[in-house]
Amino acid sequence: MASTVSSLQLALIAAVCSCHLVPAEAGFPWVEPTEGEPWPAPQQADMYPSFYFVNPAKIRFRTTRHSCADLEDAIGRTLQTLRGLAASHGVRAARRPRSVVSGSWRERRTRVAASANRRRSRKRGESRRASSPRLHHDVEVWMDGMCDENMMPSATMDEQYSIKINVPDSPGRAQIISDSLWGAYRGLETFTQLIYFSEKHGQFHLRQGIIRDFPRYAHRGLMLDTSRHFLSVSSIKATLELMAFNKFNVFHWHLVDDPSFPFVSVTFPNLSGKGAYRPDMVYTPDDVADIIEFARRRGIRVVPEVDTPGHVRSWGAGADNLLTVCYNETTGQPDGTFGPLDPTKGSTYRFVRRLLEEVTTRFPDKYIHLGGDEVFFGFPCWLSNPDVQAWMEKLNISTAEEVEKAYMQRLLRLVKRLPAKPEYVIWQDVVDNNITVQPDTIVHVWKGGADGWQQEADKVTSLGHRTIISSCWYLNYINYGVDWPQYYECEPEDFNGTLVQKSLLLGGEACMWGEFVDDTNLISRTWPRAAAVAERLWSAKEVSDAEVARPRMEEHRGFVRVRPRGRCLKRGGKQWKAANRSKGLNKPPTGDNRRVHASVTGRLSGSGSSPRGRPRCPEGYKRHRSGRCVRLGARMEAGRGLKPGALRGRAEQCTGGRVAWADGRCVPLATLRSCPKDSYRLSSGLCVRCWVSDKTDESCAKGCAVDERRAKCICCMPNGDDP
């Protein structure tokens, strides 16, 4: 029996080894991923064979020319990503990475092997490549344009940027150069993709060279349907994070549809109150504003869609006499079902006008999507209704298509008179039904599938309408096996049109309809398949071969090996949660139950020129000890490794429930059960007791932190000590 088991074990081991040694023969094709190749592919890239050894955890960004809170926020997110990438390979801020770290057995084996290779190289007398010195970890972010917190991404925003790393005109320097905030966003994303982990050296490399990049199309969107399945705010934010990583710039939000009405309208609260799946499956005004702001800080527009006159069944639950009553042809009585909006009543148009007025007010983008698709599902209902029949006779029309035309033309005139003066997008069905629309209308082409959309695009552009393509980029269709190449091979200009017609093409959108997608599978179904669409819309037309792109896609998706870009999916999950998690107290400090607020965090050296001769920081900024200009009110990272003896801190202005320490750093407080009542545990592990003092500013300077109004001060002492 023992020999039998032994033979079986040997057979299994042999089978496993054969799979790893000869993956192609075993039926598992191997794609060797690239190293440090950006996705989407830049328009122009001259990358050198040399590289820098870098530690992502030590990289620092220094803004020059102009800066603002949004740019500093983007830099902070990038730093957090780089630190996460370093930590994923056991690399700390120390000079050398750890040789043995926690992680999977495959990661440990990789690092131990890399360490052994370095030792063997040193024994043979080999040295590091002379052309690959360790980078001084300062990266310049040069932005010529001005920016502020009120800037909104638009259809005409400038997204071009350049990256220079150790080029002849800037030797030994790493620079990200842009004329706008939006270009700086895109440049920061590309910079992180130039860093990769070399298993040969056991270190991170930064590729050297020059990149000049800009998008091929101005409209690069992703549509999510939040009606058929409700998507949480966290899932939408996760998607937005990944959209920014892939340089999408439009979030097309299909807000409502037949199944549910999750959008909370202040004007008509019953629409969501009775039309949503559940009271908690709604988007409140705060949720909507939060998503818009989250997208804005990543250079992404949010274009809402309110689809009419079809796809409105959920509206009927919260609004009476809005939908068309369907009649039984045999009995001539209502059959208990409802169809599209009732086009015969003036109250219908007044209702729609007030709803669209609210939507265009709450969504700051210039455009709104008005839908207009698949109205034909409601044609039988319209034609069965006696009121609609009488209305048709009055207008001297006889077909349901003419009913749709009458509604849509009145709707478009109504939208033009809204206070926000929005421009609009419509599905191609409106044009297909020969409805006259304004020349500046944007038509969204979705019919025809992967093989027949060319005729649709030719038709729409021949009428002089600006066009968005989605027909070949429906991500909700799932195929067996690897299907991203089919999305990659769709060329937006592959239709028989003149140069003038093709110039009307604004770009395209990938669409994820919600019949079979919810929070549990949204990310896995959308990515990395949507990345294929992102590259076709950003990169040059010549970048179109899926086989050539396959190694870069393999690196981008990060599934084959442990790579920095393997966080592509993770950035949309835990990464954004870490970036947005509250870092303050879970409850106010003891005393008079007040939180301490301040305008500056960290120890600043003043707003003038530093001893190193750096330029003065812009107005509203101060020079941090790291050399960066920090906006007044910006949050700084908490101090680490503080000694218990450092409790008598100087009067620093710390925010978010942080306490100033003697070395100038702000330490967060967090409530833990292990500390006694009314005490908090510091990051150093020490339990402290905090209270708000009524003493003067002079006494605060001895060991407490002053609030921004300088009327009170917060003091912390080790638990058990007297104040």
Side-chain angles (χ1 to χ4, degrees), residues 145-159:
M146 300 294 293
C147 70
D148 57 58
E149 290 81 354
N150 297 321
M151 291 179 61
M152 297 297 299
S154 67
T156 59
M157 60 182 170
D158 180 9
E159 298 176 89

Side-chain angles (χ1 to χ4, degrees), residues 491-539:
E491 167 53 43
E493 296 183 6
D494 186 20
F495 62 92
N496 293 326
T498 64
L499 292 178
V500 175
Q501 286 179 250
K502 294 180 180 181
S503 68
L504 295 173
L505 190 60
L506 299 180
E509 287 183 5
C511 296
M512 179 57 79
W513 295 98
E515 285 87 348
F516 305 105
V517 175
D518 60 11
D519 278 356
T520 63
N521 61 354
L522 171 65
I523 298 300
S524 61
R525 286 206 174 187
T526 306
W527 308 97
R529 299 157 76 233
V533 184
E535 179 152 293
R536 296 315 315 276
L537 294 173
W538 177 280
S539 304

Side-chain angles (χ1 to χ4, degrees), residues 535-691:
E535 179 152 293
R536 296 315 315 276
L537 294 173
W538 177 280
S539 304
K541 182 178 181 179
E542 294 73 25
V543 182
S544 59
D545 192 329
E547 288 305 313
V548 174
R550 193 178 295 273
R552 287 192 302 107
M553 172 63 85
E554 200 66 26
E555 179 185 9
H556 190 60
R557 67 198 294 264
F559 288 157
V560 174
R561 296 183 181 179
V562 180
R563 295 186 178 279
R565 210 105 45 91
R567 294 180 63 85
C568 172
L569 297 182
K570 295 180 182 178
R571 288 186 61 187
K574 296 180 179 178
Q575 179 76 4
W576 77 264
K577 292 180 183 177
N580 292 277
R581 187 182 297 119
S582 174
K583 298 179 180 179
L585 287 169
N586 291 329
K587 61 180 181 179
T590 56
D592 60 358
N593 290 328
R594 294 187 181 182
R595 286 186 183 273
V596 175
H597 301 279
S599 57
V600 184
T601 58
R603 183 171 54 193
L604 305 176
S605 59
S607 59
S609 299
S610 68
R612 299 181 183 179
R614 295 190 178 113
R616 297 175 64 89
C617 291
E619 184 178 355
Y621 289 76
K622 284 189 177 182
R623 179 78 62 185
H624 186 254
R625 63 177 178 274
S626 65
R628 289 170 47 198
C629 292
V630 180
R631 180 177 63 89
L632 302 183
R635 293 184 177 184
M636 295 300 297
E637 189 176 81
R640 296 181 178 178
L642 302 177
K643 298 179 179 180
L647 266 177
R648 298 295 192 270
R650 288 199 290 263
E652 299 290 346
Q653 295 173 322
C654 299
T655 62
R658 291 184 169 88
V659 179
W661 289 70
D663 63 356
R665 288 180 289 184
C666 296
V667 180
L669 308 178
T671 303
L672 289 181
R673 295 179 181 177
S674 58
C675 285
K677 185 178 180 181
D678 296 332
S679 297
Y680 305 93
R681 184 174 298 280
L682 303 181
S683 60
S684 63
L686 187 68
C687 290
V688 298
R689 181 165 55 89
C690 298
W691 69 96

Side-chain angles (χ1 to χ4, degrees), residues 4 52 132 191 278 290 317 385 396 416 473 657 660 683 698:
T4 304
Y52 276 128
S132 302
F191 179 83
R278 293 200 318 242
D290 186 25
N385 186 288
N396 194 26
K416 282 295 184 182
W473 291 323
S683 60
E698 290 73 15

Side-chain angles (χ1 to χ4, degrees), residues 76-97:
R77 294 195 306 269
T78 304
L79 287 172
Q80 185 177 16
T81 298
L82 293 175
R83 290 170 186 146
L85 302 183
S88 68
H89 288 269
V91 178
R92 297 177 294 182
R95 179 178 178 83
R96 294 182 181 276

Side-chain angles (χ1 to χ4, degrees), residues 245-287:
F245 185 67
N246 288 273
K247 298 185 176 66
F248 280 108
N249 68 348
V250 178
F251 170 40
H252 173 182
W253 192 351
H254 189 81
L255 276 170
V256 295
D257 210 295
D258 283 331
S260 72
F261 197 107
F263 175 74
V264 176
S265 169
V266 177
T267 309
F268 303 108
N270 280 341
L271 289 177
S272 60
K274 297 182 178 180
Y277 286 126
R278 293 200 318 242
D280 60 330
M281 288 187 171
V282 295
Y283 303 105
T284 65
D286 288 342
D287 292 334

